[in-house]
Amino acid sequence: MTSSSRNNRLVLAGLLALAAATVVVVFVMMNADDDEPTAPTPAESQHKPAPLTAWQASDDARTVDVRVDDATGPTLQLEGADPITLTPTLISPRAMSFEWTSWEVHRGQDHTLVVGEGSAGKATLSATWSFFDGNPQAHLALAITALPAAHLADEITLAVSFPSGELALVSTSQADAAVSGPAGVALPATWRGGEQTLTYSNFSGPRVSKDDSTNTLQFELWQKAGSRQDIDWSDCIEAPADLTVDLELDLTVTVGSRATVSRWPLPNAQEAVLVPVFDVASHHPDAQVAQGVAKYADRWLWRARTLLYGHSSPEDPRYGTGGLLGHGLGGTLVVPETFVADEAIQQLAAELEGTHAELAPRSAVVEGYTGSSRLVSSPSCSKLIELSRAGVPAVITGSSNDAALADIGFNTGPPGLTTTVGPVQLDGSRKTLLAQGMSPESLEPIWKSGQTATFVTPFVATRNPLIGAFKEGLLVPERDGHWTVAPEVAGAMTNLELWREETPLLVTSLGAAAGHAERMRGVRWWWSEKGEVELYNPHGEPLHGATFKVWPSETGGSSTTLHLKPGRNSLDVGAPTGEEREGLEPPGPVDWQFAGGQSAD
């Protein structure tokens, strides 16, 4: 491969790449007298097993037969149920399919790897199933390498078919109002056939659905491009052959699971999210509103500090006690394209890292503004790839003029590809902003339905009382060029802050929300033999605000929210009193028995 070809390659990093390139942090306490790890088998040097552990042999372990077919890979045979092919097949795009050329069985000291190789059109396939002795959880890591970027104009969906039995999704079978909430969280799914149960979890894509007419579970890796008309996909469709993407999928199948667990994309158990975007006023369609814009970088910087901190001067005692951050809120402030290179503005952007606010350039510039979003009007497919390479967490695209805020969600594709969002465009009046964007009455439906909503409104502030934009200003001028927040806006922020004390709705920036969701998507969980939930974190840094949801086995039960507390290495699914919660028992051990396939021992 030439150097230019490598540079045209977008690697959508997922669990495999992270596990191979970074230090793996497993949230499990290891005893000092644990056995030394054994040397890796030849298969493990190329195909890493999932970071699971073997369970002790038990007379109560159920026997599970796994037959490995050269064409389809491992097939599960449960007592009293028809065989189930474990590896998903590709159902979209229809012009391409998975063609497996070989499946090999590699046996280690306490585990078995089933490794497949094949192709999908011009792309190459590799899959590794990890089975650990006694452990009822089998994990799949599947990679589609060098997929032509033209397929980003298609929907990329995989499916698992079941000959019989019933399928259930947590999002439709439980009573929690928020389980179908924040877009991009793939909640667990279950299959039940007679006395047998399988749970599918840890899916690294944005959504799991079911099709009762074909009795299939469908795993979406990439949303259909046609659903985002504001993105120009033509340059990827017409792209040269060496412009490719790598897609990676992770999935865990648990035999006999009762309770289901999922990572939550929002921090600190927030149930919904609102992202206010304050755009450059000159781009608003209302000519009167468009006049309320700063003409110089230093003037815009003072305005930005005021909206964020309550006053334009850091030396003023009111600075930090008001504004978005002073009220525990957040949002995205769009930087005018002509001011993007200003050093003082870039310094403020750096100061906001780790908060719920950000400065987002109104351009596709990739330098600076680490961790911040971008606002790009009518972005192209190739531009999204370029921004993804630069680590941009999210891109704000075209907006709509819907009358009410809607659940736009995050266009969450494969790991590593930047999120795209098309916010609702408000009319630019201060009255509308306060009524639709800051009023608890208008935001309560978003919280109750667990939505991910965002709106864009112009950042209006002018010192000229003779123009129409003055009465729509979010700030009011003071002497010596300084500013403070308009009383009506400050009152709305205070009211929203008080309402949020009892309401888990997060008001944050697009970059912060998308960044946390992406970090959580890399996290995996598994049941331990002791009945705890062990966590796998590939990022090599602490997970601040990590939240998980646990659903009991009985349909209609409500979820339990669990936080990863500082200093803890696992989640305790028991009640605070130490008593077990009914329906939250972990699965029992199994005895894997393998047959068929090409033995690589």
Side-chain angles (χ1 to χ4, degrees):
M1 183 181 293
T2 64
S3 174
S4 61
S5 296
R6 284 192 295 268
N7 290 336
N8 281 337
R9 194 86 169 274
L10 169 63
V11 179
L12 300 179
L15 183 62
L16 287 177
L18 287 166
T22 64
V23 176
V24 175
V25 180
V26 182
F27 288 90
V28 184
M29 289 297 290
M30 304 300 292
N31 296 326
D33 57 353
D34 280 347
D35 294 337
E36 290 294 326
T38 58
T41 66
E44 292 173 2
S45 63
Q46 294 182 344
H47 304 275
K48 288 184 68 67
L52 289 160
T53 57
W55 292 15
Q56 291 183 357
S58 171
D59 294 336
D60 298 330
R62 70 172 71 185
T63 298
V64 179
D65 293 322
V66 180
R67 180 164 187 84
V68 181
D69 184 271
D70 289 340
T72 58
T75 297
L76 206 63
Q77 180 63 69
L78 299 171
E79 183 179 356
D82 295 323
I84 298 172
T85 300
L86 286 179
T87 307
T89 59
L90 186 68
I91 62 172
S92 177
R94 296 185 182 276
M96 185 172 61
S97 63
F98 285 174
E99 302 291 341
W100 297 103
T101 56
S102 68
W103 283 92
E104 294 183 345
V105 178
H106 302 259
R107 291 183 173 85
Q109 183 178 5
D110 61 357
H111 64 275
T112 299
L113 301 183
V114 181
V115 178
E117 303 289 347
S119 62
K122 296 181 179 180
T124 59
L125 287 176
S126 65
T128 301
W129 278 99
S130 299
F131 301 85
F132 279 74
D133 296 349
N135 194 323
Q137 301 156 117
H139 187 77
L140 168 66
L142 185 148
I144 308 173
T145 306
L147 181 72
H151 288 296
L152 291 181
D154 299 319
E155 182 180 83
I156 303 176
T157 304
L158 286 71
V160 173
S161 299
F162 300 87
S164 59
E166 295 184 7
L167 301 175
L169 302 177
V170 167
S171 58
T172 59
S173 65
Q174 305 295 341
D176 244 359
V179 295
S180 60
V185 54
L187 296 170
T190 59
W191 167 86
R192 297 179 187 273
E195 299 297 322
Q196 306 292 346
T197 302
L198 295 178
T199 298
Y200 290 76
S201 59
N202 278 329
F203 177 52
S204 53
R207 189 175 66 175
V208 178
S209 60
K210 66 171 182 171
D211 185 341
D212 290 329
S213 65
T214 58
N215 212 34
T216 59
L217 284 178
Q218 299 184 358
F219 302 91
E220 187 176 276
L221 270 181
W222 174 243
Q223 293 180 347
K224 189 175 182 179
S227 64
R228 296 308 310 274
Q229 300 296 333
D230 49 352
I231 299 176
D232 180 11
W233 302 95
S234 61
D235 60 344
C236 275
I237 296 175
E238 303 166 358
D242 61 351
L243 183 59
T244 63
V245 296
D246 294 345
L247 306 183
E248 295 179 353
L249 172 151
D250 286 277
L251 182 66
T252 299
V253 180
T254 305
V255 177
S257 179
R258 295 185 177 91
T260 55
V261 181
S262 75
R263 56 194 180 276
W264 199 244
L266 303 181
N268 302 317
Q270 298 294 295
E271 297 287 358
V273 62
L274 175 69
V275 176
V277 178
F278 299 91
D279 194 8
V280 181
S282 58
H283 288 273
H284 196 273
D286 188 319
Q288 291 289 327
V289 171
Q291 295 178 353
V293 63
K295 296 181 179 180
Y296 305 101
D298 59 341
R299 306 292 176 85
W300 184 90
L301 181 62
W302 281 19
R303 289 166 167 83
R305 287 191 177 277
T306 306
L307 185 61
L308 291 169
Y309 295 108
H311 198 272
S312 53
S313 173
E315 298 179 358
D316 190 282
R318 292 168 290 178
Y319 187 86
T321 63
L324 292 171
L325 294 177
H327 288 288
L329 309 175
T332 295
L333 278 67
V334 179
V335 181
E337 187 171 4
T338 53
F339 302 159
V340 165
D342 184 83
E343 292 184 3
I345 292 177
Q346 289 193 4
Q347 182 178 353
L348 177 59
E351 293 174 6
L352 293 174
E353 291 184 26
T355 72
H356 286 295
E358 67 174 347
L359 301 186
R362 201 180 212 282
S363 72
V365 62
V366 296
E367 296 82 9
Y369 297 90
T370 302
S372 292
S373 306
R374 304 291 189 272
L375 192 155
V376 183
S377 299
S378 301
S380 66
C381 175
S382 60
K383 180 57 65 175
L384 290 181
I385 292 178
E386 179 185 359
L387 294 171
S388 298
R389 289 174 176 156
V392 173
V395 172
I396 305 164
T397 62
S399 57
S400 66
N401 294 315
D402 293 341
L405 302 187
D407 184 13
I408 53 89
F410 292 149
N411 187 15
T412 313
L417 190 65
T418 186
T419 289
T420 59
V421 168
V424 173
Q425 174 76 64
L426 301 187
D427 63 15
S429 71
R430 186 169 62 194
K431 179 180 178 181
T432 299
L433 168 62
L434 301 185
Q436 293 191 23
M438 293 186 177
S439 165
E441 290 75 18
S442 65
L443 298 181
E444 187 169 8
I446 296 174
W447 161 60
K448 285 186 175 181
S449 57
Q451 293 182 11
T452 301
T454 184
F455 65 83
V456 58
T457 191
F459 183 16
V460 180
T462 179
R463 307 181 76 85
N464 186 352
L466 301 179
I467 62 176
F470 185 81
K471 63 183 179 63
E472 308 297 353
L474 307 185
L475 315 178
V476 292
E478 293 189 338
R479 292 182 178 180
D480 301 323
H482 285 293
W483 299 84
T484 190
V485 178
E488 298 91 334
V489 179
M493 289 180 178
T494 300
N495 189 34
L496 183 55
E497 177 186 17
L498 294 174
W499 179 71
R500 287 189 61 252
E501 290 180 358
E502 303 294 334
T503 310
L505 182 143
L506 178 66
V507 182
T508 188
S509 70
L510 180 58
H516 184 84
E518 183 67 18
R519 287 188 295 274
M520 286 300 295
R521 186 160 58 168
V523 174
R524 302 289 176 263
W525 69 270
W526 290 285
W527 289 107
S528 73
E529 192 171 8
K530 298 178 180 179
E532 295 179 325
V533 175
E534 299 173 344
L535 305 181
Y536 168 88
N537 173 18
H539 303 297
E541 59 184 24
L543 290 171
H544 298 292
T547 302
F548 296 80
K549 292 232 174 223
V550 183
W551 286 269
S553 57
E554 296 302 322
T555 299
S558 60
S559 69
T560 300
T561 300
L562 300 176
H563 306 276
L564 181 62
K565 298 179 180 179
R568 292 296 301 274
N569 302 288
S570 60
L571 298 172
D572 183 3
V573 298
T577 60
E579 300 176 356
E580 285 189 337
R581 289 193 182 98
E582 184 177 357
L584 296 183
E585 301 86 355
V590 302
D591 179 15
W592 301 106
Q593 294 292 324
F594 293 88
Q598 305 172 33
S599 178
D601 296 339

